[in-house]
Amino acid sequence: MHTNKPGRMVQYIVISPVRNEAEYLETTIRDMARQTVKPLRWILVNDGSTDSTPKIADRWASEYRWIVAVHLHSQKRDVSGATHEGQQERGRRAREAKEIIAFYEGYATLANVEWDFLVKLDGDVGLQPDYFERCFQEFERDPKLGIGGGDICNFIDGEWRVEENPRFHVRGATKIYRRACWDDIGGVERGAGWDTLDEVKANMKGWSTRSFPGLQVAHYRYTGAANGSWQNAVKKGEWNYISGYHPLFMAMKCVKRIAQKPLVTGSAGLLCGYLLALFRRVPQVDDKKLIRYIKQQQLRRLTFRSTIWK
């Protein structure tokens, strides 16, 4: 498997912000160790975990030279010595996009490291042994593919189901950036909405972005499960506002969500988060050209014209 530079094997870096992932992290690490194309470096960024995540990261880093453990913040313990993290704290961290801040802490360690692809990977996913090999084949076939990744599958009602997303969207649990695209978009936003704004900006600049049907990634912890369905919906609504979503598009999105699980709650949470951000005048992404492009694409979709949704 080669990049467009003849004679050199693909060089890719993986960064995984992890917080309290002890339940699934070792499964993900074993899947990475079995990859047919291994990363040049895998940076596990422990973001103040209060469980055994730090020990797991250190143990595996001592076993594989290409795994690097980075520890941020300190653990908090109560008087009994037990570690804990409250529901309110988890929700706050999600809304403030602490995950991508931790990602950049890992990225900061890459000075003078040459790479072709950069991967943001969650610490609670399951991968087939040839996952990355097949992903890079997709990039090799399409020189304009800037961001890609597998389809996320969640275990719901006793079976694995592929998560439905717009064609251009690649879930934040497994994002692969081509180096030229990463440089072109200036990396990702260090805050809310980062995992949609990157794709929209890439499309605006002429890159394509998409998930790869048939390349499935098991997501062991359902999206938003740590925060609860209501808080997760409110977070998404707030992020949609920060990303510059058009009010008409947001209204139609909420109407469409009414009949989807969690029934009504998901739709109401989206609307609540969007309106709270609006009335509080939460700052939107500081890129007027990008917001204008987002709104244009959304209005085009509402009028059944061609868009990044295809």
Side-chain angles (χ1 to χ4, degrees), residues 8-305:
R8 185 166 66 82
M9 295 297 291
V10 64
Q11 302 286 310
Y12 73 102
I13 301 292
V14 182
I15 303 177
S16 296
V18 291
R19 182 178 175 85
N20 295 337
E21 297 287 5
E23 185 176 0
Y24 303 112
L25 183 57
E26 288 198 279
T27 298
T28 302
I29 293 174
R30 291 191 179 96
D31 285 352
M32 283 296 296
R34 286 193 290 262
Q35 289 299 303
T36 55
V37 179
K38 291 182 174 57
L40 181 66
R41 188 175 300 175
W42 183 17
I43 306 170
L44 295 172
V45 185
N46 163 44
D47 190 14
S49 295
T50 56
D51 62 4
S52 60
T53 295
K55 293 181 180 179
I56 294 172
D58 285 337
R59 177 160 52 82
W60 285 92
S62 66
E63 184 166 342
Y64 292 106
R65 294 180 61 184
W66 45 272
I67 297 180
V68 178
V70 175
H71 301 286
L72 309 179
H73 312 302
S74 59
Q75 297 187 25
K76 294 181 179 180
R77 296 179 178 270
D78 58 25
V79 291
S80 67
T83 58
H84 58 90
E85 180 182 30
Q87 186 88 352
Q88 184 176 1
E89 169 65 9
R90 288 197 298 271
R92 182 187 67 79
R93 292 182 61 81
R95 289 193 298 275
E96 294 179 0
K98 295 292 187 181
E99 177 185 34
I100 205 61
I101 301 301
F103 173 88
Y104 265 110
E105 291 287 347
Y107 182 75
T109 69
L110 296 179
N112 302 318
V113 177
E114 185 178 0
W115 52 270
D116 304 306
F117 295 94
L118 179 64
V119 182
K120 188 273 180 187
L121 187 75
D122 279 5
D124 58 354
V125 297
L127 307 170
Q128 292 298 313
D130 61 349
Y131 174 73
F132 281 106
E133 180 179 354
R134 293 172 63 190
C135 282
F136 296 136
Q137 288 171 355
E138 295 285 340
F139 280 95
E140 194 169 39
R141 281 192 286 265
D142 182 0
K144 293 304 294 180
L145 179 61
I147 306 173
D151 275 336
I152 292 295
C153 297
N154 298 297
F155 195 70
I156 303 173
D157 296 332
E159 62 180 0
W160 287 100
R161 299 181 185 178
V162 175
E163 186 176 288
E164 294 185 10
N165 283 296
R167 176 174 167 78
F168 74 89
H169 185 51
V170 184
R171 285 279 286 105
T174 170
K175 282 207 168 190
I176 305 174
Y177 300 88
R178 188 191 295 271
R179 179 65 182 263
C181 177
W182 175 267
D183 292 341
D184 198 14
I185 66 176
V188 299
E189 292 291 326
R190 301 181 185 232
W194 69 271
D195 64 340
T196 298
L197 292 171
D198 56 350
E199 299 155 350
V200 175
K201 193 170 185 177
N203 279 275
M204 183 178 72
K205 289 179 171 288
W207 295 94
S208 64
T209 64
R210 59 184 172 86
S211 294
F212 308 140
L215 271 176
Q216 298 182 351
V217 176
H219 203 193
Y220 297 124
R221 184 163 62 180
Y222 188 75
T223 303
N227 309 316
S229 59
W230 172 257
Q231 281 205 31
N232 190 52
V234 171
K235 178 202 74 174
K236 287 182 176 179
E238 183 178 353
W239 282 29
N240 289 166
Y241 173 81
I242 293 171
S243 299
Y245 277 34
H246 195 288
L248 287 177
F249 182 86
M250 195 65 195
M252 292 303 297
K253 182 176 180 178
C254 290
V255 170
K256 184 179 178 181
R257 281 292 304 274
I258 289 177
Q260 297 177 7
K261 292 184 179 181
L263 298 176
V264 181
T265 303
S267 177
L270 274 177
L271 182 61
C272 179
Y274 186 88
L275 292 177
L276 283 173
L278 173 65
F279 291 132
R280 291 172 179 172
R281 297 183 179 180
V282 174
Q284 293 184 307
V285 59
D286 188 20
D287 190 332
K288 292 182 179 180
K289 184 178 179 180
L290 180 59
I291 288 182
R292 186 162 56 248
Y293 178 79
I294 291 172
K295 289 182 176 178
Q296 287 173 349
Q297 289 292 308
Q298 291 174 339
L299 288 176
R300 288 180 65 88
R301 191 181 187 206
L302 290 176
T303 51
F304 304 101
R305 291 178 285 174

